[in-house]
Amino acid sequence: MSIDLNTPSIDAVTLEAVEKKANDVIRRHLPIETEWVTQEQSQGMNLRKPPAVEGDIRLVSIDGVDLNACGGTHPKNTADIGLIKIISNEKAKGGTRIYFLCGYRAMDYFRLLAATTDELVKQMNAPVAELGNAASELLKEKAANEKKMKELQQQLLEKEAESLASETGTVIEQIFHGRPIKEIQQLARLVSAQNPDAYLLFISIDGEDVRFVGAKGENAEGNMKGILPELLALTDGKGGGNADLCKAAVNPQNPRKCLWRHSERLSKLNKEFCNFFTELLSNG
């Protein structure tokens, strides 16, 4: 359940105090009564908000606590509610929306929290009061491990680039299977930086996805963006790039695309593509 309040924000201390006060009212076993009044009669009453209907109005009152127009179902006394638990709040419609649970739903929520907490205590090997600190330490360790992993991956990529950059020939070509295209682009940049005279053609195959990355070193002539349209025409693909690096994906409907996935035909087709690539560079 939720209720929208005309206030931009509510701090945690206030929410806790409101929840406590609401549950104090529930425990007092106050009667909840209804009565019908005319619209004229309601105008002189201290209603929580103006009625949203015309004609006779049904009022619901909790003596000394609340008086409001409402046509919904209500318990006979506050004790029937059981308890109220505020679970969250968010900004909505320029104000604040409060989410809360009552009665058995609130108890089910407490059971869920208790079960989740018990499992975390076992998994984190820490008492309830220390779960926050244990989670914080675990996240720090995870972040440190991820940073170290990235550093090691970068070192491996640089070593791979060093090996590829040492190859001879006008065009350095390589086929990759199941590797992220961003990693292949980064590898192309590293290789072209280490071998400024080289042209690169990297082909990536990942299941049904076929892409290529073309790049050139600083000293190599030509413009990768200039030859891209003809490469796209060959592959019926879509892509983009700049003067030093271009990338594209092969059209999935291209009838020749399936050849890229068969090892016995891949070498021949790749050679054809490389020759076409080299010819474009020499003409550019």
Side-chain angles (χ1 to χ4, degrees):
M1 300 177 66
S2 66
I3 183 172
D4 289 345
L5 302 178
N6 188 26
T7 181
S9 64
I10 303 177
D11 59 69
V13 174
T14 301
L15 286 175
E16 184 177 349
V18 168
E19 181 182 274
K20 182 180 182 303
K21 187 172 183 178
N23 283 296
D24 287 342
V25 171
I26 289 173
R27 285 192 293 270
R28 288 165 59 189
H29 202 283
L30 298 176
I32 300 176
E33 299 177 339
T34 63
E35 65 173 315
W36 287 90
V37 298
T38 64
Q39 195 164 22
E40 291 75 14
Q41 288 174 319
S42 70
Q43 291 177 359
M45 297 179 174
N46 187 24
L47 301 182
R48 176 156 44 90
K49 60 182 180 181
V53 296
E54 299 290 337
D56 289 347
I57 300 166
R58 179 175 181 261
L59 298 182
V60 179
S61 65
I62 304 175
D63 188 32
V65 177
D66 186 47
L67 177 63
N68 192 39
C70 184
T73 303
H74 296 271
K76 293 182 179 180
N77 61 74
T78 58
D80 289 342
I81 299 171
L83 75 154
I84 288 178
K85 177 59 184 174
I86 297 175
I87 56 175
S88 65
N89 69 93
E90 65 182 10
K91 293 185 181 298
K93 301 178 181 179
T96 301
R97 179 169 296 160
I98 306 295
Y99 292 93
F100 62 96
L101 296 172
C102 301
Y104 290 116
R105 292 180 180 178
M107 289 302 300
D108 289 341
Y109 182 72
F110 282 125
R111 291 189 187 97
L112 175 62
L113 290 180
T116 303
T117 302
D118 288 345
E119 184 61 28
L120 287 174
V121 166
K122 294 176 185 177
Q123 295 290 336
M124 305 290 289
N125 193 28
V128 174
E130 295 297 325
L131 282 179
N133 291 335
S136 178
E137 290 300 318
L138 187 62
L139 289 174
K140 289 179 182 178
E141 183 180 345
K142 179 176 179 290
N145 289 338
E146 288 177 348
K147 181 181 178 181
K148 185 63 177 178
M149 183 69 71
K150 287 182 179 180
E151 291 174 353
L152 293 174
Q153 288 175 339
Q154 182 64 26
Q155 291 176 20
L156 286 173
L157 208 60
E158 290 174 355
K159 287 294 183 182
E160 184 178 10
E162 184 179 339
S163 175
L164 288 170
S166 64
E167 293 185 9
T168 59
T170 306
V171 178
I172 299 175
E173 53 92 7
Q174 189 74 23
I175 300 170
F176 301 93
H177 292 269
R179 291 180 66 174
I181 190 64
K182 288 186 178 181
E183 183 178 288
I184 295 174
Q185 289 176 232
Q186 185 180 2
L187 182 61
R189 292 188 181 95
L190 290 171
V191 174
S192 60
Q194 294 184 31
N195 190 340
D197 297 316
Y199 298 98
L200 283 66
L201 177 60
F202 290 170
I203 297 170
S204 166
I205 302 175
D206 188 2
E208 296 295 314
D209 187 49
V210 179
R211 301 171 184 245
F212 68 82
V213 175
K216 74 177 190 68
E218 184 179 2
N219 298 336
E221 297 181 356
N223 185 316
M224 300 307 301
K225 190 174 183 179
I227 68 170
L228 181 60
E230 295 189 62
L231 288 174
L232 294 178
L234 177 67
T235 60
D236 191 22
K238 293 183 179 180
N242 53 42
D244 298 320
L245 185 144
C246 65
K247 58 182 179 179
V250 177
N251 186 344
Q253 304 303 321
N254 188 329
R256 306 182 69 200
K257 174 180 177 262
C258 61
L259 298 176
W260 297 84
R261 299 195 300 273
H262 296 279
S263 57
E264 66 272 14
R265 300 179 183 178
L266 184 58
S267 178
K268 180 180 179 180
L269 185 61
N270 186 50
K271 186 68 175 177
E272 176 187 342
F273 194 41
C274 285
N275 289 340
F276 182 76
F277 182 72
T278 306
E279 182 180 348
L280 286 176
L281 290 168
S282 61
N283 292 337

